[in-house]
Amino acid sequence: MASRADNIASNLSLANFSKATELKKRIWFTIGALIVFRFLSFVPLPGVNPLVLETLYDQTRGGILDLFNTFSGGSLERMSLIALGVMPYITASIVVQMASSLHPALAALKKEGQTGRQKLNQYTRYGTVFLCAIQGWFLAAGLEAYGAQSGLQAVVQTGYMFRIGAVISLVGGTMFLLWLGEQITSRGIGNGVSLIIMAGIVAQFPTFVTNLFEGGRTGSIGPAVIIGFIAMVVILILFICFMERAQRRLLIQYPKRASAQGMMQADRSHLPLKINTAGVIPPIFASSLLLLPLTITQFAGASVSTDSTGGAILQSTLQYLQHGQPLYMALYAAGIIFFCFFYTAVVFNPEETAENLKKNGGFIPGIRPGNRTAEYLDYVLTRITVVGAAYLTLVCVIPEYVIAQTGIPLFLGGTSLLIVVNVTVDTISQVQSHLLAHQYGDLIKKAKLKGRNR
């Protein structure tokens, strides 16, 4: 029999928005913050000539810049104040999270509760500033080097003053985005940083649709290819939604306790284990590691000499690492599988979970508490991680192969689809939670009024 909460959740509808005043305020605040983010993406860096930026970016396509440019909503292509986006923060947070699971001192901070989390967040911000400064410096130096080698002057006046100004501007832009994301999280709806990344990806959607149908109009892309690509995207979205909500629920039983009627009854609950525990981290890491050598070579002007044996081997390797090549596909899939298992082992500790269950008196039926429970959790987690790794590999490799074969511009890759679907599902869940809380509030008010009338 369905509970009262299940009945209310099943009756949620868009008509309840008119009554949820606080939810509407949160949604409008989120929309306004994302509009500010989009305006900032068109503010160029001081000292950069915007007329040659398009040519600069066109000659560096195919590397990791495409991935970062997609996440920043085209800000990197325009060299705006927020060209680095929130990727330095994501990298720093991943490093701190991994370090907190491996380093004893940071692991102790993680267990201290709110105070420890604030300290780890402070370390993450320090790492973000450090990464922004390094990336900003190399980005400014790359712009100057490109202008010197190709004859296109992307920088109005080169020198240390331009580099220092660019670093300060890029660090300030990234930190402002982090502040904006925190405001969305606290005063808006959904996770602020995730919504900023999703907004950057979705902002490229009109350009992608225009190029797709323009290719169909000119005949460069066949109608069957367009229809098949749209069908593939729809199927992948449905598949991602299903897999991201999929869980392996382990039954947890607690000792019998006396109820209000004086009867002894056992409490039961479930420990949910997500099929995809690692999220979108494995595709991001795998693609970054694969495309980094190619991008460095492109920024250097692709001037590697092929006269020597080492230069010839390097040129051949970089050629095989292009999108759609068998070597690239194999290494990309292997990287996703490796990081899926590695990151899952970092974020989920079977020993700690088993110890917490033992302290609270809970146990898995048929499994002894303690080490046996930890071994069983590790066994189950390894099996479902195999399924999760296969799912991530399938979702990420198929779009890459189709894009390489059809020549459609890289936009709706597997990583982009994963981020958009994950953030959308999470935001919708939070909207439903606010509506459910609002309906519960109405029920409580009605119950109080009935109690007064009696």
Side-chain angles (χ1 to χ4, degrees), residues 239-276:
F239 182 59
I240 292 173
C241 291
F242 174 77
M243 292 299 295
E244 291 298 326
R245 304 289 289 181
Q247 296 178 348
R248 172 70 163 89
R249 304 179 68 188
L250 297 178
L251 178 63
I252 305 297
Q253 191 166 346
Y254 294 91
K256 293 184 178 181
R257 299 174 182 175
S259 62
Q261 292 79 15
M263 299 177 61
M264 302 294 290
Q265 61 181 18
D267 294 333
R268 291 185 177 183
S269 64
H270 292 87
L271 177 64
L273 298 177
K274 290 189 62 177
I275 299 298
N276 181 25

Side-chain angles (χ1 to χ4, degrees), residues 67-137:
L67 182 66
F68 289 164
N69 185 65
T70 301
F71 292 160
S72 63
S75 301
L76 184 61
E77 182 179 0
R78 294 184 288 269
M79 293 297 168
S80 69
L81 294 176
I82 56 174
L84 297 180
V86 295
M87 292 303 294
Y89 172 76
I90 293 176
T91 304
S93 62
I94 291 172
V95 171
V96 171
Q97 190 174 8
M98 289 184 175
S100 63
S101 301
L102 301 176
H103 195 274
L106 295 178
L109 276 178
K110 189 177 181 180
K111 296 178 181 179
E112 290 182 1
Q114 184 66 24
T115 305
R117 285 194 295 269
Q118 290 178 356
K119 198 68 176 178
L120 291 177
N121 289 336
Q122 187 177 1
Y123 292 155
T124 303
R125 295 181 184 280
Y126 291 154
T128 302
V129 174
F130 177 73
L131 290 176
C132 284
I134 293 179
Q135 293 181 8
W137 182 269

Side-chain angles (χ1 to χ4, degrees), residues 341-413:
F341 279 92
F342 177 78
Y343 194 72
T344 300
V346 169
V347 298
F348 187 86
N349 190 345
E351 289 80 8
E352 183 179 353
T353 304
E355 185 65 24
N356 292 334
L357 287 175
K358 185 177 180 180
K359 289 180 180 179
N360 295 322
F363 63 94
I364 301 176
I367 306 296
R368 294 183 61 182
N371 294 332
R372 294 288 298 173
T373 301
E375 294 175 359
Y376 179 75
L377 290 175
D378 183 69
Y379 169 75
V380 174
L381 189 65
T382 302
R383 295 186 66 181
I384 64 175
T385 303
V386 172
V387 180
Y391 144 70
L392 284 179
T393 304
L394 185 66
V395 168
C396 294
V397 171
I398 287 181
E400 293 283 349
Y401 177 79
V402 172
I403 289 170
Q405 296 297 320
T406 59
I408 298 176
L410 178 62
F411 167 72
L412 287 176

Side-chain angles (χ1 to χ4, degrees), residues 29-45:
F29 180 85
T30 303
I31 294 175
L34 294 179
I35 291 175
V36 173
F37 159 69
R38 289 303 300 159
F39 278 141
L40 283 176
S41 66
F42 290 92
V43 180
L45 281 174

Side-chain angles (χ1 to χ4, degrees), residues 11-20 23-24 27 431 435 439:
N11 293 328
L12 291 177
S13 63
L14 295 177
N16 296 322
F17 274 107
S18 60
K19 301 177 182 179
L23 178 60
K24 287 192 296 183
I27 292 177
V431 170
L435 289 176
Q439 291 191 14

Side-chain angles (χ1 to χ4, degrees), residues 255-302:
K256 293 184 178 181
R257 299 174 182 175
S259 62
Q261 292 79 15
M263 299 177 61
M264 302 294 290
Q265 61 181 18
D267 294 333
R268 291 185 177 183
S269 64
H270 292 87
L271 177 64
L273 298 177
K274 290 189 62 177
I275 299 298
N276 181 25
T277 308
V280 298
I281 301 302
I284 293 177
F285 270 33
S287 58
S288 299
L289 290 179
L290 273 178
L291 298 178
L292 186 59
L294 180 61
T295 304
I296 292 176
T297 304
Q298 289 176 337
F299 258 128

